[in-house]
Amino acid sequence: MTVLNARTRPTQADVAQLADVSPSTVSYLLSGNESRKRSFPEETRKRVEDAAAELGYVVNHRARALRRQRSEIIGVAYVPPVTPWFDAFSARALRHFAERDYSLVQIPFESDTAESVQRALARGYLDALIANCDDQDNEKMLAYATDSNVPVTIFSDTIVTDAADVVREFQREAVIDAVRYLADSGRRRIVFLDYEAPHGSPHVNLRKRGYLDGMRAADLSSRVVTCADNRQATYDQVLRLLAEDEAPDALISFSDRGAVSAIWAAGHAGIRVPDDLAVIGCGNTAEGRSTVPELTSLGIPEGDFAAIFDHVLERIDDPAVPCTTLSLPWTRFVRASS
Amino acid sequence: MTVLNARTRPTQADVAQLADVSPSTVSYLLSGNESRKRSFPEETRKRVEDAAAELGYVVNHRARALRRQRSEIIGVAYVPPVTPWFDAFSARALRHFAERDYSLVQIPFESDTAESVQRALARGYLDALIANCDDQDNEKMLAYATDSNVPVTIFSDTIVTDAADVVREFQREAVIDAVRYLADSGRRRIVFLDYEAPHGSPHVNLRKRGYLDGMRAADLSSRVVTCADNRQATYDQVLRLLAEDEAPDALISFSDRGAVSAIWAAGHAGIRVPDDLAVIGCGNTAEGRSTVPELTSLGIPEGDFAAIFDHVLERIDDPAVPCTTLSLPWTRFVRASS
DNA sequence: TTGTAAGCGTTATCAG
DNA sequence: CTGATAACGCTTACAA
């Protein structure tokens, strides 16, 4: 004998009572699969739907999650501050999963502990996790994945594992290709703008690697300038660089952000882009599109995330589906700056 | 008669069996309150803890959420792209709530529909929601809040409601104060750099309002320059502005971002900041700290979010706690640029 | 000090 | 076509 609590949301039992059917009928009609639904007469279905509408019934997610062993929540983990790329990625994920009735949540975490991700995975309120972080953190993700049994997807060009789906971007190869592209168009003094890794993380800098390999292949002598992680500082450094006797005729930047600063610096040094100086960034972010001239950039092609998302859903549906390695090679988006 | 599924995580029943106690004992010991725990002899507790460790038991969040009617997940909703301010805010929230055993998730949503927030609230997997958006979206949040019964907190200087906690930032008053500050230090030609609202949203621009009111109070004639939402464009506009005959001797920008572009423009026009031109931004973001000279900015003081977070927790613990209006007035952070 | 048992709201099996 | 009924894993009176 339960007194109906006014503060509490209506349950299927309430709907059943009002529609004068059994709770299981309500369950079938309100959240069963389509074919099962069709086995009910139109009249019953309407009665139930009306009753639900009248009471403002909406399914209790907690109960459903327990019973179905599925929360219909997918998480994307990242280390703040958010990058424009990650922003775009989440937006695509949000839409893709929403169409399939999944919620998407972002889990920001601190790189040293990754505590919030660990908590999320241990508590098990996620059906899957997509992590966008460096290899150091990726290793943690793999560990959490194995002892929480939650399907995890990571982005890494180097890690080999069967504990998680891995997305390969082939960053190194993309930069090699960019160097070749510049060399082919006659550039000789190509300089790489690098950034110090945050927190002295020891992860491999594949973009720099690609630059060095590319330069060696083109038989050009390489030069790396390490910039401070700060627009103004980058700007100043590029300004000095361009004032040198043997000034570069092309720049490849670790990030679009650095490349944008370089374009500004060139502009104010009276150096024409791309005529006197070609500039290429990495990331293919929105920021690069709003400079004058527009920035050529290397990055993940838009529109190809679907394969990743779908594989995540497959793994949720059937845990026996094996982890795979997905290829999502960076593309060269040639715009006005090169 | 259930066969223990190998893929399934151990339950309290498994722990109980191994430790040779009843399931409720395990529950009390592993997730009961402290005083209850102390009523068990050390020996039992140790047996249970050892068994749990051996099996790698971790509480099933879905079952607990159903039973406790509480998910211990708090959401912060926002419209991408993320702002530096929101980044900082989430980081503080993450830490504050984590210390109290709550998870924090971010819910990005699209401003026109707010569908993902609606879904999250309807499904009820959040114990509370903090939304950071403009008044247009805030109205939606209020509607969702009332029909989902989830405690919601919004940021608004104008909305009056008892359906949600409201945080007042007093942006208008802060800008009035900034104008007075500039006027007192002898500035006369103070210009406001404004931005067009995205998607033509009709929300009140309290910063501009404050500027206009402040100028009137100081008996100065006002001038608003509306910039495109784009660093380069702002830069160019400020450059033109500074080349005028009656060039401004002070700028107040709607955002730190715009103020930073202004500082750069001044630098390249050979105009000294702050001697010839004072610059003040809004938001007190990290970006402003990395310019030369450092940017004076208006914004929420760091370290005062605790009151907001604690009130959220109070409302979770007791739904009868009434909604309040919290004051978190913007402060003037005077640095080198003014 | 510990165990029994009744739920939390939903889904799925199975019988009618 | 519909309705009992038994879980899902955990919490918490209440009983022993």
Side-chain angles (χ1 to χ4, degrees):
Chain A
M1 187 192 306
T2 315
V3 176
L4 213 72
N5 183 339
R7 289 208 68 85
T8 241
R9 310 193 318 186
T11 72
Q12 286 187 356
D14 298 329
V15 177
Q17 199 178 340
L18 184 60
D20 198 28
V21 294
S22 81
S24 42
T25 301
V26 175
S27 177
Y28 281 126
L29 249 18
L30 259 31
S31 22
N33 57 43
E34 283 307 314
S35 67
R36 194 69 171 78
K37 270 183 207 169
R38 265 190 292 277
S39 74
F40 286 83
E42 189 54 40
E43 197 272 333
T44 311
R45 161 196 250 161
K46 180 146 180 21
R47 240 188 21 252
V48 169
E49 279 170 359
D50 288 350
E54 183 178 338
L55 295 175
Y57 169 80
V58 15
V59 65
N60 181 316
H61 185 258
R62 292 164 189 179
R64 168 180 283 183
L66 175 62
R67 176 63 231 216
R68 291 227 261 227
Q69 307 282 47
R70 183 161 308 180
S71 65
E72 293 177 305
I73 306 177
I74 292 173
V76 289
Y78 74 101
V79 179
V82 89
T83 61
W85 182 84
F86 182 74
D87 242 353
F89 179 79
S90 322
R92 305 308 274 324
L94 177 63
R95 212 163 306 160
H96 191 97
F97 291 129
E99 279 164 13
R100 288 147 185 87
D101 257 311
Y102 276 81
S103 293
L104 183 98
V105 300
Q106 294 178 337
I107 319 250
F109 69 96
E110 300 180 47
S111 184
D112 42 345
T113 63
E115 185 196 322
S116 52
V117 177
Q118 180 172 33
R119 182 201 309 269
L121 253 20
R123 288 195 175 175
Y125 60 80
L126 298 179
D127 284 346
L129 179 84
I130 304 175
N132 182 237
C133 48
D134 65 26
D135 277 353
Q136 195 172 211
D137 289 324
N138 276 332
E139 298 287 357
K140 289 176 206 143
M141 299 299 138
L142 294 182
Y144 301 156
T146 40
D147 50 49
S148 73
N149 253 316
V150 174
V152 166
T153 304
I154 61 174
F155 287 79
S156 172
D157 274 358
T158 55
I159 290 179
V160 176
T161 180
D162 56 359
D165 285 326
V166 181
V167 180
R168 301 239 187 266
E169 302 167 273
F170 298 101
Q171 300 188 14
R172 179 177 150 273
E173 290 74 5
V175 179
I176 290 179
D177 168 77
V179 171
R180 188 182 319 119
Y181 166 79
L182 289 171
D184 284 352
S185 60
R187 312 284 174 170
R188 286 298 167 264
R189 296 183 305 284
I190 307 170
V191 170
F192 187 78
L193 300 182
D194 196 21
Y195 282 92
E196 288 174 42
H199 338 297
S201 84
H203 82 275
V204 201
N205 186 337
L206 293 165
R207 304 176 197 178
K208 183 164 83 177
R209 204 39 314 124
Y211 164 76
L212 295 172
D213 293 348
M215 291 299 273
R216 194 168 326 114
D219 209 26
L220 295 171
S221 63
S222 51
R223 173 167 176 204
V224 173
V225 173
T226 302
C227 304
D229 187 14
N230 164 335
R231 288 172 194 275
Q232 173 86 46
T234 305
Y235 180 94
D236 291 339
Q237 282 176 284
V238 174
L239 222 44
R240 278 198 297 277
L241 189 62
L242 295 177
E244 291 181 7
D245 284 348
E246 289 279 289
D249 58 8
L251 295 174
I252 298 179
S253 165
F254 179 88
S255 67
D256 270 9
R257 193 178 160 187
V260 167
S261 298
I263 287 183
W264 282 44
H268 291 281
I271 290 171
R272 291 169 305 163
V273 174
D275 305 46
D276 305 326
L277 180 75
V279 181
I280 295 182
C282 286
N284 191 36
T285 63
E287 180 173 15
R289 315 289 296 263
S290 66
T291 58
V292 187
E294 274 192 54
L295 179 68
T296 293
S297 186
L298 316 176
I300 298 186
E302 296 259 326
D304 273 13
F305 298 143
I308 300 177
F309 301 149
D310 284 335
H311 195 254
V312 168
L313 293 171
E314 271 176 46
R315 292 230 288 145
I316 292 174
D317 279 339
D318 179 3
V321 169
C323 295
T324 61
T325 299
L326 296 156
S327 285
L328 202 60
W330 276 18
T331 299
R332 175 161 29 89
F333 295 90
V334 177
R335 305 208 181 84
S337 75
S338 75
Chain B
M1 189 190 305
T2 316
V3 177
L4 212 73
N5 183 337
R7 287 208 69 85
T8 240
R9 309 192 321 186
T11 71
Q12 286 187 355
D14 299 329
V15 176
Q17 200 179 338
L18 183 60
D20 198 29
V21 293
S22 82
S24 54
T25 302
V26 174
S27 177
Y28 282 127
L29 248 18
L30 259 30
S31 21
N33 57 45
E34 282 308 313
S35 67
R36 194 68 171 79
K37 271 183 207 166
R38 265 192 289 280
S39 75
F40 287 83
E42 190 54 40
E43 198 271 333
T44 311
R45 161 196 250 160
K46 180 149 180 18
R47 250 202 355 267
V48 169
E49 279 171 358
D50 287 350
E54 184 179 337
L55 295 175
Y57 170 80
V58 14
V59 65
N60 180 316
H61 186 256
R62 291 162 190 181
R64 168 180 284 183
L66 175 59
R67 178 61 232 219
R68 291 226 258 226
Q69 306 281 52
R70 182 162 308 180
S71 65
E72 292 177 307
I73 306 177
I74 292 172
V76 288
Y78 73 102
V79 180
V82 89
T83 61
W85 182 83
F86 182 74
D87 243 353
F89 179 79
S90 314
R92 306 306 277 320
L94 178 63
R95 211 163 308 161
H96 191 98
F97 291 129
E99 280 165 12
R100 286 147 186 87
D101 258 309
Y102 276 80
S103 293
L104 183 99
V105 301
Q106 294 178 337
I107 320 248
F109 68 97
E110 300 179 48
S111 184
D112 43 344
T113 64
E115 184 196 323
S116 53
V117 176
Q118 181 173 33
R119 181 201 308 269
L121 252 20
R123 288 195 174 176
Y125 60 78
L126 298 179
D127 283 347
L129 179 84
I130 305 175
N132 182 236
C133 48
D134 65 27
D135 278 352
Q136 194 173 211
D137 289 324
N138 275 333
E139 298 287 356
K140 291 177 204 140
M141 299 300 137
L142 294 181
Y144 301 156
T146 40
D147 51 47
S148 73
N149 251 318
V150 174
V152 166
T153 304
I154 62 174
F155 287 79
S156 172
D157 274 358
T158 54
I159 290 179
V160 176
T161 179
D162 56 1
D165 285 325
V166 181
V167 179
R168 300 240 187 263
E169 302 166 275
F170 298 101
Q171 299 188 15
R172 179 176 150 274
E173 289 73 6
V175 180
I176 290 179
D177 168 77
V179 171
R180 189 182 318 120
Y181 165 80
L182 289 171
D184 284 352
S185 61
R187 312 284 173 171
R188 285 297 166 267
R189 296 183 304 284
I190 307 170
V191 171
F192 187 78
L193 300 182
D194 196 21
Y195 282 91
E196 287 173 43
H199 338 296
S201 84
H203 81 273
V204 199
N205 186 337
L206 294 166
R207 303 177 198 176
K208 182 163 84 178
R209 195 61 292 134
Y211 164 76
L212 295 173
D213 292 348
M215 291 299 274
R216 194 168 326 114
D219 208 26
L220 295 171
S221 63
S222 51
R223 174 168 175 202
V224 173
V225 174
T226 302
C227 304
D229 188 14
N230 164 334
R231 288 172 196 276
Q232 174 86 47
T234 305
Y235 180 95
D236 291 339
Q237 282 177 283
V238 173
L239 221 46
R240 278 198 298 278
L241 189 61
L242 295 178
E244 292 180 6
D245 283 346
E246 288 279 290
D249 57 8
L251 296 174
I252 298 179
S253 166
F254 179 88
S255 67
D256 270 8
R257 193 177 160 188
V260 167
S261 298
I263 287 182
W264 282 44
H268 290 283
I271 289 172
R272 290 170 305 164
V273 174
D275 306 46
D276 304 327
L277 181 75
V279 181
I280 295 183
C282 287
N284 191 35
T285 65
E287 180 173 15
R289 315 289 296 263
S290 66
T291 57
V292 187
E294 274 193 54
L295 178 67
T296 294
S297 187
L298 316 176
I300 297 186
E302 296 259 326
D304 273 12
F305 297 143
I308 300 177
F309 301 149
D310 284 335
H311 194 254
V312 168
L313 293 171
E314 270 176 47
R315 290 229 287 146
I316 292 174
D317 279 339
D318 180 3
V321 168
C323 293
T324 61
T325 300
L326 294 156
S327 285
L328 202 60
W330 276 18
T331 298
R332 172 160 32 88
F333 295 90
V334 177
R335 305 207 182 85
S337 75
S338 75

